[in-house]
Amino acid sequence: MPRRHGAGRRETGMTRRLKVVAMVMILAVAWSVALETVPVARVARDARAGDTVAVATPQAGSAAVTSVVGLGDSVPAGTACDCDTFVSLIRKALATRQGTGVAADNLATGGLTSQGLLDQMGSGPAAGAIVKADLVIITIGANDFDSASLEDDDCGPRAGLACYKDGLARLRANVDGILGRVRALQTRPRSRIVVTGYWNVFLDGDSARAKGRTYVSNSDALTRAVNRTLAGAAAAKGARYVDVYGPFKGDGSRDDTPLLAADGDHPNAAGHRVIADSILSALAAG
């Protein structure tokens, strides 16, 4: 029987059409997957090069910060500084960055200890504010320690900060409790907790140097120990620890007087800006 060349040609043409359709479907699926795996991209035009480029935009459904709560002592409270506190600066920066409204509730109180903050977590304004917040910023611990004994022999680094051992242990236990309660109160998706350290738990800069070398050395050693304690508690509870010692003083050799209020104890406007920038950088890093 003679071979039917015409039928063979029709089959070949159909096969080619099927291949083209299959290729189009594969490309469509690949493009869809690419869009899903790069959710931050939208197409825009580079004015200089005239090319289409990917530009970062918020991912649909991502959790933007809508409410910030500040907790802690006189540092976030803004004592000795007639200025925007770092809590307020963070609220403004997030609102600008996100293009959305951001509320802030700064409940920090001068003189507050870690035990005092822990006591606030049970009920009242702090608990109510935390429930509605998706970012809680905590600065606490400096008031747990008394500077009156700072220059005693057993309160310095050579003695292993022996006179402050019990205080450091209580601070860790209290901050563990604070973070646990904050986490239990949080209801918003992807809620975050930030714990800041200190540049010094006592006087610093020119005010500290006026008290002598022992005061400077011992207060610096205690501050580093407090910061390690706070960082350890934050890590254990899934919070973000933000160092402010480095931004203020580098390795400890930089004079931070320009960042301090006249009392030598609290940050001035520039100091609050440094703290705010440090926290914002940590938040941006994820």
Side-chain angles (χ1 to χ4, degrees):
M1 180 180 293
R3 188 175 179 181
R4 300 180 61 181
H5 295 290
R9 286 194 295 270
R10 287 195 297 271
E11 184 178 349
T12 301
M14 184 179 296
T15 301
R16 289 175 179 171
R17 286 195 294 273
L18 288 173
K19 288 181 178 179
V20 170
V21 171
M23 183 62 70
V24 170
M25 292 177 66
I26 290 170
L27 290 173
V29 170
W31 178 248
S32 175
V33 170
L35 289 177
E36 290 179 0
T37 55
V38 191
V40 298
R42 66 177 173 86
V43 174
R45 184 162 296 278
D46 187 320
R48 292 174 300 174
D51 297 326
T52 55
V53 296
V55 178
T57 57
Q59 181 179 355
S62 63
V65 174
T66 60
S67 179
V68 180
V69 169
L71 300 173
D73 55 28
S74 56
V75 176
T79 298
C81 183
D82 184 17
C83 62
D84 283 342
T85 68
F86 68 81
V87 176
S88 177
L89 293 171
I90 288 169
R91 181 201 68 77
K92 293 178 180 179
L94 289 174
T96 300
R97 178 185 297 175
Q98 298 172 171
T100 60
V102 178
D105 202 350
N106 192 348
L107 301 176
T109 305
L112 195 66
T113 64
S114 63
Q115 183 62 57
L117 181 55
L118 181 60
D119 293 342
Q120 291 182 1
M121 294 294 99
S123 61
I130 291 167
V131 168
K132 297 181 292 183
D134 33 35
L135 175 60
V136 177
I137 304 170
I138 302 170
T139 303
I140 199 69
N143 293 315
D144 289 27
F145 303 94
D146 185 1
S147 63
S149 57
L150 182 62
E151 297 181 74
D152 292 353
D153 291 340
D154 62 343
C155 294
R158 291 185 179 179
L161 301 174
C163 76
Y164 292 119
K165 287 291 187 182
D166 291 344
L168 289 166
R170 284 192 299 272
L171 175 62
R172 175 59 190 263
N174 287 340
V175 175
D176 281 346
I178 291 164
L179 295 177
R181 293 188 187 183
V182 170
R183 188 65 77 192
L185 287 165
Q186 288 179 318
T187 59
R188 292 183 178 273
R190 303 182 190 177
S191 295
R192 287 171 285 183
I193 307 172
V194 166
V195 178
T196 76
Y198 291 91
W199 58 96
N200 203 307
V201 295
F202 298 135
L203 299 177
D204 209 10
D206 289 343
S207 297
R209 286 189 290 274
K211 290 182 171 292
R213 186 172 298 177
T214 300
Y215 183 100
V216 171
S217 174
N218 290 7
S219 65
D220 185 73
L222 176 59
T223 299
R224 291 173 185 266
V226 167
N227 288 344
R228 287 193 297 270
T229 300
L230 295 171
K237 296 296 182 178
R240 182 65 177 263
Y241 174 75
V242 175
D243 170 57
V244 297
Y245 184 100
F248 267 66
K249 299 165 60 170
D251 62 359
S253 61
R254 189 164 68 226
D255 181 14
D256 60 359
T257 302
L259 301 177
L260 302 178
D263 65 358
D265 193 23
H266 298 92
N268 59 18
H272 277 278
R273 169 55 66 188
V274 168
I275 298 171
D277 288 345
S278 299
I279 294 173
L280 289 166
S281 294
L283 293 174

